[in-house]
Amino acid sequence: MKKELKTLINQISTRSTDAFRDYLVDKGYSKSSINRWLRPIKSMFTYFYDHDLIVKVPKIKQLKEPKRRPTYITDDEFQSIVDLVGIDSFYAKVFWFYRETGCRLNEPFMGSLHGPWLVIPNSSKGGVEREIPLQKELITIYDELTSWYCNSLLKKQDRGRHLSKKFKKCLRGNGIDESKHFHSLRHTFCSEIHILAGGDFAKTKEFMGHSSSSTTERYTHLDTVESTEEFSKLLMARAEA
């Protein structure tokens, strides 16, 4: 069976992957959706190559997407979300946790707590291990969040997605810009860190665990005065912490 699988994989060429990409284009998928299909395919072939299942990795040509500006959750928007779910609710605390830590959706469930530090392994998207300091309140929420994740009746692959969908529902319930989403909490955190670091590019990149400098560059356009006013309450609280 292994030999049959190896023969089939070796038959896939760059022409094959180009044909698949063109098929998705003809179907009317957006560039970002197509690239979300192509990235795991590329990772799969890299895995096969590393394990000697194929002798060459076909080129996977992704579509060039225009650089999109980060989306932020302002003080007022976040407060409206908290008001909707209830200030003491599980969701309010979880959304606050993500906004205060800048974690990607699945990172809390990949990481481990070492004293007051949440250690995110290099298996996360950025490929760089990093440590996130947690205040006492955040540690309590982290314990509640990971307990929910472990004991949830939802399928494992749906647990993180559930939080994302709940957040999106709250955005819509408050009539907030449709371009914003759960990951906007990380964008918001990164923006604050970039401002507090005085615009220091290297510090922002290291703290956020960005694997590419181009990712961090998305935040260099921030106008310090304008952004400080927009995130005034958040920045004040973080500076005092």
Side-chain angles (χ1 to χ4, degrees), residues 2 6 13 37-38 44 89 99 139 161 176 179 200:
K2 183 178 178 181
K6 182 176 180 179
S13 63
W37 276 87
L38 296 176
M44 177 188 71
S89 70
R99 191 187 66 168
I139 293 176
R161 197 178 304 154
I176 298 173
S179 68
D200 190 304

Side-chain angles (χ1 to χ4, degrees), residues 67-84:
K67 289 186 177 181
R68 290 178 290 182
R69 291 166 66 92
T71 55
Y72 314 111
I73 306 298
T74 66
D75 288 351
D76 291 339
E77 289 172 340
F78 190 80
Q79 186 59 53
S80 69
I81 292 169
V82 170
D83 291 341
L84 188 63

Side-chain angles (χ1 to χ4, degrees), residues 2 5 20 39 45 55 64 95-96 105 123 163 172 241:
K2 183 178 178 181
L5 178 62
F20 176 65
R39 279 192 288 269
F45 278 112
V55 295
K64 189 173 182 179
F95 297 157
W96 183 67
L105 181 57
S123 56
L163 297 176
R172 289 173 176 164

Side-chain angles (χ1 to χ4, degrees), residues 5 28 33 66 88 114 122 137 149 158 165 177 217 220 233:
L5 178 62
S33 295
D88 294 321
H114 295 263
N122 58 15
E137 296 85 351
Y149 183 83
D158 291 335
K165 287 182 176 180
D177 188 345
E217 286 172 0
T220 59
K233 297 174 186 175

Side-chain angles (χ1 to χ4, degrees), residues 66-186:
K67 289 186 177 181
R68 290 178 290 182
R69 291 166 66 92
T71 55
Y72 314 111
I73 306 298
T74 66
D75 288 351
D76 291 339
E77 289 172 340
F78 190 80
Q79 186 59 53
S80 69
I81 292 169
V82 170
D83 291 341
L84 188 63
V85 297
I87 191 169
D88 294 321
S89 70
F90 168 75
Y91 293 109
K93 290 184 284 186
V94 168
F95 297 157
W96 183 67
F97 176 89
Y98 279 94
R99 191 187 66 168
E100 289 297 298
T101 61
C103 282
R104 297 179 178 91
L105 181 57
N106 289 315
E107 285 183 337
F109 316 123
M110 301 168 60
S112 56
L113 203 58
H114 295 263
W117 299 90
L118 174 59
V119 180
I120 307 299
N122 58 15
S123 56
S124 183
K125 181 180 177 181
V128 179
E129 182 180 293
R130 71 185 197 280
E131 298 178 344
I132 301 174
L134 299 184
Q135 298 172 7
K136 184 177 180 180
E137 296 85 351
L138 291 175
I139 293 176
T140 300
I141 297 172
Y142 173 76
D143 289 338
E144 187 175 348
L145 174 60
T146 51
S147 177
W148 168 84
Y149 183 83
C150 293
N151 298 303
S152 174
L153 297 178
L154 294 168
K155 293 180 180 179
K156 189 173 182 179
Q157 64 269 26
D158 291 335
R159 294 171 192 174
R161 197 178 304 154
H162 170 76
L163 297 176
S164 179
K165 287 182 176 180
K166 181 68 175 181
F167 188 77
K168 189 66 174 180
K169 185 177 181 180
C170 291
L171 292 174
R172 289 173 176 164
N174 284 296
I176 298 173
D177 188 345
E178 280 289 315
S179 68
K180 299 187 179 185
H181 39 72
F182 190 90
H183 200 69
S184 299
L185 293 170
R186 177 171 163 83

Side-chain angles (χ1 to χ4, degrees), residues 224-238:
T224 304
V225 175
E226 179 183 346
S227 300
T228 301
E229 291 176 352
E230 190 168 2
F231 302 118
S232 56
K233 297 174 186 175
L234 296 175
L235 290 166
M236 188 179 299
R238 200 179 297 283

